[in-house]
Structure formats: structure tokens, C-alpha cells
Amino acid sequence: MKVAAMVKTAFPTNGRSWPELAQEMEAMKAGDVDWRGGRSPLYVFGATDEVANVARDAFNMYFTENALGANRAFGSLRRMEDEVLAATLELFSAPPEASAIFTTGGSESLILAVQAARDFNRRNHDRASARNVVVPYTAHPGFDKGGRLMDIEIRRVAAGADGRADVAAMADACDAGTIMIAGSAPCFPHGLIDPIPALSDLAVSRNLWLHVDACVGGFIAPFARALGRDLPAFDFACPGVRSISADLHKFGYCPKPASTLSFRDEAARDAATFDFDNWPNGRFATATLAGTRPGGAVAGAWAVMNFLGRDGYLELTRRALAMADAYAAGISEIPGLKLWAQPDLTILNWGSPSLDIFAISQKMHDRGWLPGLTRNPAGMHLMASLLHEPVREAYLSDLAACVDIVRKQPASGDGQNRGVSYN
Ligand SMILES: *Cc1c(COP(=O)(O)O)cnc(C)c1O
């Protein structure tokens, strides 16, 4: 498959003034999705204007600094990065010997987790040639990206009827070549947390590395549990969990690009570190894929985390869950629609047993709502953050109206959203 063709323009001849450029950029932006108005079902996360301002100001304060130089040049970045990572480890019930890395995003965290598991297996087990990772069908493509880079097979195992990882089937898919198993907390497609305690038992009994992909849930699920939401344990409290990915730039409400990768112990973290000395400029050691990294992302994460504190995250989580539950109730009340899963957190996925859901989503698109879509089962998808709070009633009434239209005029079956695509 080819991605959209690139538009090729000439190198700019004469420089132009910033006011002119700014005006042109504002005009270009006018054609983008109105995320501030809650019309984007993914890509952007929001809490409050206050949080967004702290994130932006802190990022700009460190706009030029490079986190690659945190050890030798920017002690402030070293301190802020360590504090953000220590707080993250505490959130995940990590033991004292645990350690973590600040990355540019969930994909980088997943790729590094796969690489760390591979090298850990090489060093500590007789599995030098081990070459596969077993994940549920609902896992993020970041695993496969890592698999392609490292020539590791990613085995996707169908989820159970409840949409969660089928642990018995995953156990069957493991063999002597398995270096890692993984579950999500929650998975992106259905918003469901996989049965991590059962995956942990499997990991312990077979001596396998269990990675928990909490990219989207890492900074909301712990607070949801603290608020009394009935969710299974998914962190280092489960003894088989060796690593956890959690994105600060999602429900941590921190500026992009910012994610974390936490390890149960130093040996696991060491397996991720690239430590090199054979070139003129001396030792080069990083735990990330990226070399140069934006200081602003580290500073922004530190400022947002300290601005909110545990209390702030609890309050935002309470609001986000109440909002998502209200969306879920509203969708369930529309005749013809059915939630494919009762959401564990704030990701909603629904379809229709009787109507063409893609025709409905096309009608929503026509009304200015960029639809999120899923296959298997065919459905609409919304990863709700507080940006979607003010527009809930407008969204639900448009959705009900679109369902009505499709019920009265059965679709031709060629809605342009039929090719489900994440980006
Ligand atoms: C978003 C997401 C990722 C990847 O994160 P990026 O920051 O987009 O690279 C991984 N796993 C899950 C479950 C996600 O939702």
C-alpha cells in the first residue's frame, strides 16, 4: 500500500516576514480538524486551559535545551527527568530496584521494550536465537514496528469473546523462541484492560518477560483505581510484569513528545541501554532511540506533573470517567447502536447489529465530526478526553440524527470511510 503522494514545491526563493508567515499558517490551520471544539476522536488530549498553559510555558522555557546533554550540560533537565520517572515508578508500585527511561512516545517505548527483552534473553537465558513476541490482536502496531526493525516475529493472537486478551490461546502461541508476551492497559481499539494478573501467572510459570502497554492508560488507570473503579491490577504488583510503557503526552496531559518505559530492575533497564565507545568523540550512552531530544518535553512533563499533583490527576480522572460514562449511556440509548464493550476507562467503541455503522460515521463526518473507526467488529471509536466534555450533547444528538437518516435511507454500501485507517 502506498501512502498519500507528497506535494513537491520549490525551495523558497526570498525570505518573508514572520507576520506574513504567521498569517499564512493561521489560514492553513483553518482547514484542520477543530480539536479544541472536540471534533477529533484521537491525536490530541486535553485537560484544562490552565494545564495547557503550564505545559506550553514550561516547554517554551526549555525550547532550546537538549535532553541529550542532561548529564554534562543541563543538570536541571537531569533532575526534572529523574523526578518525573521516579513519580511514574511510584505510580506503578515499582520495587526499589526499578528504573525507567524518558522517551519520545509510546512507539519508541514499545520498540525499546522489545529490544530490551531480546537482549535480556540473550544475556540471561539460553535463548540466544529466540525470535518471537506474543501479543493480543488488539495490541498497538508499535510492537510490529519493533519486530520489523529487529527481525522479530510478532504473533497476534485473537482476543476472547469479551474483547480482552485470551490468555490460554496466548499460552498456546508461546514456544521456546518466545522472548516476550504483552497485554494492554487498556488496548486502544476497545478501551479494555487485558487480564494482566493471568498474563503475569503465565509469564512467571514460563519465565517469560511480560510487557504491559499502558501507553494510553498509564496516567489515568491508577487514579481510576484509587477512585474505586473496579479494574484489575496491571502494574509491578503483578510479579510477572517486567516492563510498562506509559505515555505522558496522553492522559498525563504533558506536551508531546513524552512517554516513559519502566523496568522492574536495573538489569532489565541495562538491556535497553546503548553504550558505545568506538569513535573519536568518546563514550556515547543513551537508553533512547533518539539522540537529541527536546528539553521542552522533559520540562513540560515536570511542570504539568507538579502543577497537578496526585489531587489534580484524581480530579481530572473523576471528570473524565464521568464524561465517558455519560457518552456510553447516551450511545446505548440510541436505538440501533450497541457498545461493543463497556469501557474500562475513556475509550468508547460501538457499532450496530442492524445498520451500516460506516454509513452512520460518514454522516457524522459530513456534520464536521472526524470519525474514529474500527474493524473486527465494525464500529465507531472515540478516545474521549476533557476536550469532548462540552460537546457531548451536540455529539449525541448528531449521532442520533445520523442513525435516523441511515435507518430511513439504507446505505449504498460505498461510504468513503470503509477503508478503516488510524492516520
Ligand atoms: C498511543 C498508543 C501507543 C503509541 O504511542 P505513540 O505515542 O503514538 O507512539 C501505544 N500503545 C497504545 C495502547 C496507545 O494507545
Side-chain angles (χ1 to χ4, degrees):
M1 199 174 75
K2 283 193 75 168
V3 294
M6 183 188 160
V7 179
K8 293 191 178 121
T9 51
F11 199 95
T13 316
N14 301 115
R16 289 190 285 156
S17 76
W18 167 240
E20 188 190 330
L21 296 171
Q23 204 179 20
E24 184 175 333
M25 288 162 76
E26 287 297 342
M28 284 195 284
K29 239 183 174 202
D32 292 347
V33 67
D34 176 18
W35 57 267
R36 281 190 189 79
R39 294 199 170 242
S40 183
L42 74 167
Y43 310 131
V44 283
F45 292 77
T48 61
D49 287 347
E50 267 184 305
V51 176
N53 290 337
V54 168
R56 189 182 307 106
D57 288 350
F59 193 104
N60 286 338
M61 194 182 284
Y62 278 81
F63 182 78
T64 308
E65 281 80 357
N66 183 349
L68 176 61
N71 288 335
R72 296 187 64 232
F74 308 113
S76 59
L77 286 175
R78 171 84 285 133
R79 181 185 142 190
M80 287 190 282
E81 186 167 293
D82 284 352
E83 288 185 17
V84 167
L85 294 173
T88 303
L89 288 169
E90 187 188 314
L91 200 58
F92 296 151
S93 331
E97 60 279 16
S99 189
I101 309 174
F102 194 109
T103 71
T104 57
S107 299
E108 184 180 1
S109 294
L110 291 179
I111 292 166
L112 287 170
V114 171
Q115 183 248 311
R118 182 197 63 179
D119 292 359
F120 184 85
N121 274 279
R122 281 182 179 163
R123 287 179 199 177
N124 299 295
H125 300 296
D126 184 19
R127 289 188 192 142
S129 58
R131 273 272 174 264
N132 72 73
V133 169
V134 176
V135 303
Y137 173 61
T138 50
H140 190 272
F143 287 103
D144 302 73
K145 210 179 230 185
R148 188 176 88 164
L149 283 168
M150 290 172 268
D151 204 9
I152 287 169
E153 178 196 358
I154 308 297
R155 296 186 177 165
R156 290 187 168 252
V157 177
D162 61 356
R164 298 177 203 266
D166 180 340
V167 180
M170 285 178 66
D172 286 345
C174 292
D175 58 25
T178 303
I179 50 173
M180 171 192 262
I181 59 172
S184 309
C187 69
F188 185 77
H190 315 307
L192 297 172
I193 299 184
D194 287 325
I196 305 300
L199 287 171
S200 167
D201 290 346
L202 171 63
V204 170
S205 71
R206 304 255 191 115
N207 197 12
L208 291 166
W209 180 306
L210 169 59
H211 178 79
V212 173
D213 181 10
C215 276
V216 69
F219 291 96
I220 189 167
F223 301 110
R225 291 185 84 208
L227 289 168
R229 191 112 166 159
D230 184 20
L231 301 174
F234 67 89
D235 63 15
F236 292 114
C238 303
V241 175
R242 292 205 67 89
S243 55
I244 302 176
S245 47
D247 290 353
L248 291 157
H249 63 205
K250 288 180 180 161
F251 286 98
Y253 307 116
C254 301
K256 295 179 269 290
S259 173
T260 61
L261 176 58
S262 300
F263 295 100
R264 178 174 286 280
D265 51 46
E266 287 283 353
R269 183 196 189 275
D270 283 352
T273 304
F274 175 79
D275 198 344
F276 175 84
D277 208 6
N278 186 20
W279 78 319
N281 285 62
R283 186 172 177 214
F284 184 105
T286 60
T288 51
L289 287 180
T292 290
R293 291 185 294 130
V298 173
W302 185 87
V304 168
M305 210 178 242
N306 282 282
F307 180 71
L308 286 172
R310 193 175 286 273
D311 288 356
Y313 279 110
L314 280 169
E315 175 55 18
L316 290 175
T317 301
R318 192 192 57 70
R319 272 179 62 189
L321 293 177
M323 170 201 59
D325 290 346
Y327 266 97
I331 290 164
S332 303
E333 278 165 18
I334 298 174
L337 295 185
K338 184 178 180 333
L339 286 175
W340 291 141
Q342 198 58 44
D344 277 343
L345 294 158
T346 65
I347 291 178
L348 296 130
N349 180 211
W350 67 95
S352 175
S354 51
L355 302 168
D356 181 349
I357 195 69
F358 293 140
I360 294 166
S361 72
Q362 181 58 47
K363 298 278 177 228
M364 286 296 277
H365 192 262
D366 296 344
R367 290 180 182 223
W369 303 98
L370 182 70
L373 299 171
T374 58
R375 301 183 301 202
N376 311 328
M380 291 183 68
H381 188 268
L382 174 64
M383 188 189 56
S385 77
L386 290 174
L387 292 169
H388 300 96
E389 194 180 51
V391 294
R392 177 170 50 87
E393 289 187 3
Y395 185 90
L396 292 172
S397 79
D398 270 357
L399 186 59
C402 292
V403 168
D404 260 355
I405 295 170
V406 170
R407 182 181 290 112
K408 287 178 190 137
Q409 311 165 353
S412 62
D414 59 356
Q416 73 181 54
N417 286 317
R418 226 152 269 279
V420 173
S421 182
Y422 180 92
N423 63 355

